[in-house]
Amino acid sequence: MAIREILEFPDPRLRTQARAVEEFDGQLANLVEDLFETMYQEQGIGLAATQVNEHVRVLVMDTSDERNRPMAFVNPEIIERDGTQVYEEGCLSVPGIYAKVERAEQVRVRARHPDGTAFETELDGLSAVCLQHEMDHLAGKLFVDYLSPLKRQMVRKRLEKARRQDNRVPSAT
Ligand code: K2U
Ligand code: ZN
């Protein structure tokens, strides 16, 4: 088990298209375990493998209030979408930035469990938002991509300024 470093916008590795998982082996099980540990540590409700620089189609979620309903999706595909909803999203890879994004209200998802068995499930509300947000990550897409180019540039500048301030050596006084 390990807490993994999360890539932050505008890191170009976040734009990588994740490839399908072919081996449902111990290495995959370890990655899923690390994704859950990192997600809970960072108080997220979802995390995609792309965000920890692992470019395979794996995501985890837990949208329960009690933080006791972990869900892992390997090679997920959305097979049905219904309705629309707007949710003010954040992202562990874009810290401190929030924006309204319109997504499907309900999705039907086909995926594999980490052991390789296939399943389908229907998600709605926040779980549907989270699943779509994570699947965007696997396609190299970020929620800031739904912003205007001007707003996205402002976000980039704000994060880069915050990083410069974090890296400044404190003055002697
Ligand atoms: O992918 C991530 O960065 C994890 C996000 C997933 C998420 C974003 C927007 C809406 C739903 C899920 C993090 O969980 S962001 C933190 C968070 C926590 C609770 C509710 C919404 C966002
Ligand atoms: Zn995110």
Side-chain angles (χ1 to χ4, degrees):
M1 291 262 272
I3 307 281
R4 305 285 286 265
E5 183 194 351
I6 293 179
L7 301 179
E8 290 191 356
F9 176 80
D11 191 315
R13 293 171 292 182
L14 286 168
R15 299 309 187 170
T16 307
Q17 295 268 347
R19 63 188 182 278
V21 168
E22 290 169 10
E23 298 292 330
F24 293 80
D25 56 11
Q27 192 177 346
L28 174 62
N30 288 339
L31 172 59
V32 169
E33 206 175 271
D34 287 357
L35 287 172
F36 276 123
E37 190 178 1
T38 305
M39 178 189 77
Y40 287 121
Q41 168 74 20
E42 299 298 331
Q43 276 90 48
I45 58 173
L47 192 64
T50 306
Q51 293 177 273
V52 297
N53 201 27
E54 296 283 352
H55 302 293
V56 286
R57 293 187 60 73
V58 181
L59 68 93
V60 297
M61 291 172 40
D62 184 345
T63 56
S64 68
D65 292 337
E66 306 75 18
R67 312 289 281 152
N68 60 1
R69 208 179 64 223
M71 293 185 283
F73 295 79
V74 180
N75 297 342
E77 48 182 319
I78 295 176
I79 55 177
E80 273 175 44
R81 285 180 172 79
D82 195 25
T84 60
Q85 61 178 314
V86 175
Y87 190 90
E88 181 148 42
E89 299 191 10
C91 181
L92 297 175
S93 294
V94 191
I97 305 295
Y98 299 89
K100 287 187 168 51
V101 178
E102 183 176 306
R103 296 190 189 267
E105 157 57 33
Q106 191 170 43
V107 292
R108 185 162 188 79
V109 189
R110 180 180 295 148
R112 300 272 183 151
H113 291 299
D115 68 5
T117 51
F119 71 97
E120 283 188 18
T121 188
E122 216 148 86
L123 302 172
D124 62 9
L126 179 55
S127 296
V129 170
C130 187
L131 187 279
Q132 294 170 85
H133 177 108
E134 303 311 336
M135 285 193 64
D136 270 357
H137 275 301
L138 299 179
K141 197 172 173 95
L142 296 167
F143 82 106
V144 292
D145 297 342
Y146 297 96
L147 302 179
S148 68
L150 179 62
K151 275 195 179 172
R152 191 159 55 246
Q153 185 60 4
M154 286 165 61
V155 166
R156 185 194 305 266
K157 293 249 180 278
R158 194 190 309 176
L159 287 174
E160 286 167 347
K161 183 181 176 192
R163 267 185 217 110
R164 281 197 301 274
Q165 285 171 342
D166 284 352
N167 295 337
R168 255 186 356 183
V169 176
S171 60
T173 49

